[in-house]
Amino acid sequence: MIVLKAAQQQLLGALQAVAGIVERRHTLPILANVLVRKTGDQIELTTSDLEIQVRTTATLGGDPGNFSTTVGARKLIDILRSMPGDQIVSLSASGSKLTLQGGKSRFTLQSLPAEDFPLVNEAADFGPAFSVPQKVLKGLIDQVHFAMAVHDIRYYLNGILFVAEGKALTLVATDGSRLALAAAQLEVDLPKQEVILPRKTVLELMRLLKDDKSTTEEGDAMIEMRFAGNQAKFSFSGMEFVTKLVEGKYPDYNRVIPKNHKNIITLGRQPLLSSLQRAAILTSEKFKGVRLNIEPGALKIASSNAEQEEAKEELEIDYDGPTIEVGFNVTYLMDALSNMGQEMVRLEMHDGSSAALITVPEQEGFKYVVMPMRI
């Protein structure tokens, strides 16, 4: 039976959309597979890691009738990538094998039964659905994702806080040493939600969501969201994305954000980032520390390492306040600046032992807090 027949790029695109969560090594071998369900000329592709499930539907040719199986997702993608984009490929089933054919190339792959594929047990009752432009959610995620913790024992930090209330959508991420917050005002009222999205979910949404250049004939590409007690469901661009939520109480982020810092400098984002990138070359591999000296008219950046090598940078600034000397992890500063697209940034300080606040003059919704370090 010919399960599907389509152009290589069409099949590859559908597979790549769902394969981001697939691990190459897994305790359950079948989780390395993609579930293929054929209903007429509609092909449904589903992947799962037991906590996240991604599904997309595509119209691909093939023999009439229904059929389902599972096959190695990465192997199939690797083979398709090696084929010409405009080539017509077919996937045929015979017994426990699937044959992928294109031109004079032929690949026979082992399959596993569809009924053995462990689908995520979806919540029976999701809350009310609401939609926001994909570009808005992607923009907010882009501005905060880098501040998520990685494998922190405080498991609730290994993700981002998602807060919807009124017309405001706010995302927050922190690893305990820095905090990023991005908020957007929407045109519609949102049902009140406060959930923690897991790190893997956040990274996968970043990959799949369309950017600000993506519009449909009706307008902006939208994403529909629904939440249950411990699950979230996202529907967008012909895809359905179900994920487990992180359980736990997120820290009170408002207490962390400095208020009323009086020493403020505004400068170009790219010149500051470039200076930090150069200074970072000669930082200690372990501590990645840089010293900032803020004085009237000048911002001086210095770094050194165990080999007694030094880097010094200086930027002209419009500042006439007190001299401040402070140390930071240079990676924390570069992460924030690299994920911003604005021309100017504002650095707000109190003294050399207090947290710094980085904001954007033309965007009130973004705040980045970074703790100082002793150098």
Side-chain angles (χ1 to χ4, degrees):
M1 178 186 192
I2 298 178
V3 181
L4 59 87
K5 190 171 185 179
Q8 174 268 3
Q9 56 193 358
Q10 188 180 6
L11 177 55
L12 179 59
L15 279 166
Q16 286 176 323
V18 299
I21 64 170
V22 176
E23 309 285 354
R24 287 191 182 270
R25 291 190 180 89
H26 214 290
T27 50
L28 281 177
I30 199 168
L31 289 177
N33 287 11
V34 56
L35 172 62
V36 182
R37 279 185 175 152
K38 173 181 172 61
T39 308
D41 61 355
Q42 292 284 306
I43 298 292
E44 188 181 84
L45 303 173
T46 306
T47 57
S48 171
D49 69 355
L50 299 181
E51 294 190 349
I52 303 173
Q53 180 174 291
V54 186
R55 176 180 292 138
T56 189
T57 303
T59 301
L60 304 173
D63 289 341
N66 301 339
F67 178 78
S68 59
T69 189
T70 77
V71 64
R74 298 291 184 189
K75 288 179 184 174
L76 201 52
I77 286 173
D78 288 346
I79 293 169
L80 286 166
R81 275 182 178 152
S82 68
M83 293 178 156
D86 57 353
Q87 188 174 75
I88 299 298
V89 297
S90 64
L91 194 64
S92 306
S94 178
S96 63
K97 300 287 178 69
L98 283 178
T99 301
L100 179 67
Q101 196 162 351
K104 294 186 178 180
S105 303
R106 184 183 176 94
F107 305 86
T108 302
L109 301 169
Q110 186 70 42
S111 64
L112 291 171
E115 53 269 24
D116 293 345
F117 192 82
L119 294 170
V120 168
N121 188 18
E122 292 188 29
D125 184 27
F126 280 93
F130 62 97
S131 297
V132 301
Q134 289 190 41
K135 66 180 182 183
V136 171
L137 183 58
K138 179 173 172 57
L140 294 177
I141 292 175
D142 285 347
Q143 292 179 84
V144 304
H145 74 278
F146 56 85
M148 290 187 293
V150 183
H151 303 309
D152 197 295
I153 192 170
R154 298 163 294 180
Y155 55 91
Y156 47 83
L157 298 185
N158 300 316
I160 61 171
L161 179 67
F162 178 106
V163 182
E165 187 171 5
K167 289 183 166 62
L169 179 59
T170 304
L171 270 58
V172 184
T174 181
D175 60 7
S177 297
R178 53 181 169 166
L179 179 146
L181 178 151
Q185 292 294 317
L186 304 175
E187 296 177 359
V188 296
D189 282 314
L190 306 176
K192 187 173 181 179
Q193 302 286 346
E194 187 166 321
V195 299
I196 304 172
L197 301 177
R199 179 182 178 84
K200 188 173 181 180
T201 297
V202 172
L203 298 178
E204 192 61 14
L205 283 173
M206 280 181 65
R207 188 180 74 87
L208 294 172
L209 287 172
K210 297 187 183 302
D211 59 23
D212 59 4
K213 303 178 188 66
S214 301
T215 56
T216 62
E217 291 182 3
E218 295 77 29
D220 291 338
M222 304 296 284
I223 176 168
E224 181 187 275
M225 296 177 260
R226 300 180 70 189
F227 296 92
N230 65 344
Q231 276 187 345
K233 181 185 286 189
F234 304 98
S235 302
F236 57 99
S237 305
M239 301 187 64
E240 183 184 88
F241 189 108
V242 179
T243 176
K244 184 178 178 182
L245 297 172
V246 178
E247 297 181 21
K249 179 65 176 172
Y250 207 80
D252 183 358
Y253 56 89
N254 283 311
R255 290 180 58 190
V256 178
I257 299 172
K259 310 284 193 300
N260 304 318
H261 276 353
K262 294 180 180 177
N263 301 311
I264 301 171
I265 60 173
T266 301
L267 69 167
R269 179 188 66 86
Q270 190 56 55
L272 177 57
L273 176 58
S274 297
S275 293
L276 290 169
Q277 287 170 332
R278 290 190 292 269
I281 298 169
L282 296 186
T283 57
S284 158
E285 279 295 320
K286 187 174 181 181
F287 298 110
K288 289 289 181 184
V290 293
R291 293 186 306 279
L292 269 59
N293 269 77
I294 302 169
E295 55 190 57
L299 167 62
K300 297 177 180 178
I301 302 169
S303 65
S304 59
N305 57 29
E307 287 78 38
Q308 297 185 332
E309 297 169 321
E310 290 183 329
K312 292 184 178 179
E313 294 277 335
E314 185 170 334
L315 294 167
E316 288 186 12
I317 56 173
D318 182 11
Y319 176 74
D320 59 1
T323 298
I324 299 173
E325 183 174 349
V326 60
F328 290 111
N329 181 318
V330 69
T331 304
Y332 292 171
L333 297 177
M334 293 191 302
D335 280 348
L337 296 169
S338 298
N339 286 280
M340 297 159 61
Q342 294 82 3
E343 286 189 16
M344 307 297 288
V345 295
R346 185 190 292 129
L347 179 62
E348 302 182 19
M349 303 284 299
H350 178 62
D351 55 35
S353 58
S354 302
L357 176 64
I358 296 176
T359 58
V360 179
E362 63 268 30
Q363 185 183 335
E364 290 303 315
F366 176 77
K367 292 180 172 65
Y368 181 66
V369 182
V370 58
M371 299 300 293
M373 67 180 291
R374 194 171 294 172
I375 300 178

